[in-house]
């Protein structure tokens, strides 16, 4: 199967899943989520480790019971910010897990209506644009025959950071210059293409552990771009977000969810070996445990719920016309909470 066929199939599968969820919602009358219901969309990678731990340890249920509430939690696996955003807007999930780029897109699009905002960060992780093309030393070297894999072209946080890097190199007018050679491919498939070689994909802007596997398993693979260099330091590139209706109508469920995430962040920081075991077991990962622990304990990685260094991307997206509204402070696009209000 070719890369384009893989991409098409992935899109079809995501669309089919969303369709099934939409049907279930319509049969249920499409009612807004009430207290005790929580459906969470997550994607691929160690950046979702907080959710893996929360699910495995049943932390949401634990904090719900402490508040006198039985919470039914469901997890949906999707790929790409577009699919996640569609699921949220159609009312099929309460919590979306995706990049901060898709958050800004939906925050801007839903102002005055669903009023989508961030709930929490999933932590700080450097994202690498990795290539297996020996002629590519920087993003300026990618040519018409190259293809750069991202979760969703022009929408995912990887794609937005690549646009930001392009704007810094070529100017704002050419911020989308590399979109034309970008293709939407789920991380696992893109990583396999970089490791194996011989496909049209010569670059992959991914996340842990896929980027780490590429570097470890293909001696020709190298880092072309580090997201931290574009964003100006450690940044929360992947976040969780939801609608104002969920935030206001389900305060106990919302608080139990945030408390669970906070507990998971502390657990991972204090128990990296146990966290690694949970990731391998819950995702059926074949990743080398030693490599996984290296990722989790990387000094550049921080597990916490407070977002960090996210505002700049939103302001860039506004500057180039990707969103109409200009975020000025964290409270503009994240719901209020003492643990979140200190973010940036």
């Amino acid at each position: 199967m070719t890369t384009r066929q893989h991409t098409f199939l992935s899109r079809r599968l995501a669309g089919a899943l969303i369709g099934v969820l939409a049907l279930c919602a319509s049969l249920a009358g499409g009612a807004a989520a009430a207290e005790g219901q929580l459906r969470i969309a997550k994607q691929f990678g160690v950046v979702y480790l907080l959710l893996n731990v929360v699910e495995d340890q049943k932390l949401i249920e634990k904090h719900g019971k402490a508040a006198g509430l039985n919470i039914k939690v469901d997890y949906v696996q999707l790929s790409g910010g577009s699919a996640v955003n569609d699921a949220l807007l159609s009312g099929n999930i309460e919590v979306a897990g995706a990049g901060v780029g898709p958050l800004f897109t939906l925050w801007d699009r839903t102002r005055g209506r669903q009023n989508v905002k961030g709930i929490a960060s999933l932590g700080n992780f450097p994202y690498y644009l990795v290539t297996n093309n020996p002629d590519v030393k920087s993003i300026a070297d990618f040519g018409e025959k190259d293809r750069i894999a991202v979760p969703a072209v022009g929408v995912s946080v990887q794609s937005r950071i690549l646009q930001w890097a392009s704007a810094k190199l070529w100017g704002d007018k050419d911020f989308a210059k590399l979109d034309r050679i970008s293709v939407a491919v789920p991380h696992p498939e893109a990583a396999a293409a970089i490791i194996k070689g011989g496909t049209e994909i010569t670059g992959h802007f991914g996340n842990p552990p896929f980027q780490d596997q590429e570097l470890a398993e293909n001696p020709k693979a190298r880092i072309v771009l580090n997201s931290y260099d574009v964003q100006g330091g450690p940044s929360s590139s992947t976040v969780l977000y939801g609608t104002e209706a969920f935030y206001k109508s389900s305060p106990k469920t919302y608080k139990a969810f945030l408390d669970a995430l906070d507990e998971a962040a502390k657990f991972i920081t204090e128990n990296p070996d146990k966290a690694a075991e949970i990731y391998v077991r819950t995702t059926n990962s074949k990743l080398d445990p030693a490599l996984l622990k290296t990722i989790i304990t990387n000094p550049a990685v921080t597990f916490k719920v407070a977002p960090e260094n996210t505002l700049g991307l939103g302001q860039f997206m506004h500057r180039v016309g990707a969103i109409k509204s200009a975020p000025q402070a964290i409270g503009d696009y994240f719901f209020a909470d003492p643990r979140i209000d200190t973010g940036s």
Side-chain angles (χ1 to χ4, degrees):
M1 184 178 290
T2 68
T3 299
R4 293 187 185 280
Q5 288 173 320
H6 271 305
T7 303
F8 177 72
L9 180 59
S10 299
R11 287 173 175 169
R12 288 288 299 273
L13 289 173
L17 178 56
I18 291 171
V20 171
L21 291 172
L23 176 60
C24 292
S26 64
L27 292 174
E35 286 279 27
Q37 174 180 302
L38 190 56
R39 297 164 296 177
I40 304 167
K42 61 182 179 178
Q43 300 187 59
F44 300 98
V46 178
V47 295
Y48 291 92
L49 183 56
L50 255 68
L51 290 180
N52 297 133
V53 171
V54 163
E55 180 178 10
D56 182 74
Q57 302 294 305
K58 298 189 181 300
L59 298 181
I60 299 171
E61 294 87 341
K62 168 188 169 182
H63 287 281
K65 287 180 181 178
L69 182 67
N70 289 320
I71 302 177
K72 184 180 184 299
V73 186
D74 293 306
Y75 296 86
V76 180
Q77 187 83 53
L78 296 175
S79 179
S82 297
V84 172
N85 283 355
D86 286 345
L88 183 64
L89 289 180
S90 61
N92 295 312
I93 57 173
E94 283 71 54
V95 175
V100 70
L103 164 59
F104 278 120
T105 298
L106 216 53
W107 166 75
D108 181 64
R109 192 191 310 172
T110 63
R111 293 188 74 188
R113 296 187 294 277
Q114 298 100 324
N115 291 322
V116 170
K117 288 188 178 183
I119 296 171
S121 163
L122 285 172
N124 294 349
F125 297 86
Y127 289 2
Y128 304 147
L129 172 53
V130 175
T131 184
N132 59 9
N133 183 346
D135 296 326
V136 175
K137 304 297 191 299
S138 74
I139 62 171
D141 298 323
F142 282 110
E144 293 300 324
K145 294 183 178 180
D146 291 298
R147 291 296 179 269
I148 302 171
V150 294
V153 179
V155 178
S156 64
V157 67
Q158 288 89 348
S159 189
R160 291 300 188 190
I161 292 173
L162 185 56
Q163 291 176 345
W164 196 0
S166 298
K168 291 184 176 184
L169 180 62
W170 293 299
D172 284 355
K173 62 181 178 58
D174 289 322
F175 79 95
K177 183 174 183 177
L178 295 177
D179 282 7
R180 69 177 185 274
I181 62 168
S182 297
V183 291
V185 183
H187 290 315
E189 296 175 23
I194 292 295
I195 293 169
K196 181 181 178 181
T199 75
E200 65 177 356
I201 294 176
T202 56
H204 174 214
F205 208 159
N207 65 17
F210 307 106
Q211 59 194 26
D212 305 272
Q213 289 177 289
E214 293 162 2
L215 295 169
E217 298 180 33
N218 186 343
K220 295 181 180 179
R222 69 174 66 82
I223 299 172
V224 177
L225 189 69
N226 183 326
S227 62
Y228 282 6
D229 293 335
V230 183
Q231 295 169 285
S235 307
S236 307
S237 293
T238 304
V239 295
L240 300 167
Y241 49 97
T243 64
E244 186 178 51
F246 168 57
Y247 175 68
K248 289 187 174 181
S249 67
S250 304
K252 289 184 179 180
T253 304
Y254 186 94
K255 185 178 184 301
F257 179 52
L258 199 51
D259 288 345
L261 291 169
D262 204 17
E263 182 175 342
K266 294 180 175 65
F267 176 89
I268 296 168
T269 302
E270 296 171 0
N271 305 279
D273 289 313
K274 291 182 180 179
E277 183 274 325
I278 288 172
Y279 179 82
V280 170
R281 175 164 45 80
T282 58
T283 64
N284 295 316
S285 173
K286 306 300 182 184
L287 190 66
D288 178 2
L291 180 61
L292 179 55
K293 185 177 179 181
T294 298
I295 296 170
I296 294 174
T297 59
N298 182 346
V301 171
T302 308
F303 293 93
K304 60 179 184 177
V305 298
E308 184 174 352
N309 212 9
T310 60
L311 181 59
L313 181 61
Q315 293 179 335
F316 159 73
M317 290 173 64
H318 173 259
R319 192 173 73 242
V320 297
I323 57 177
K324 296 178 180 179
S325 304
Q328 301 295 332
I330 195 75
D332 290 342
Y333 55 97
F334 268 84
F335 292 118
D337 181 272
R339 289 164 289 194
I340 303 303
D341 299 343
T342 58
S344 60

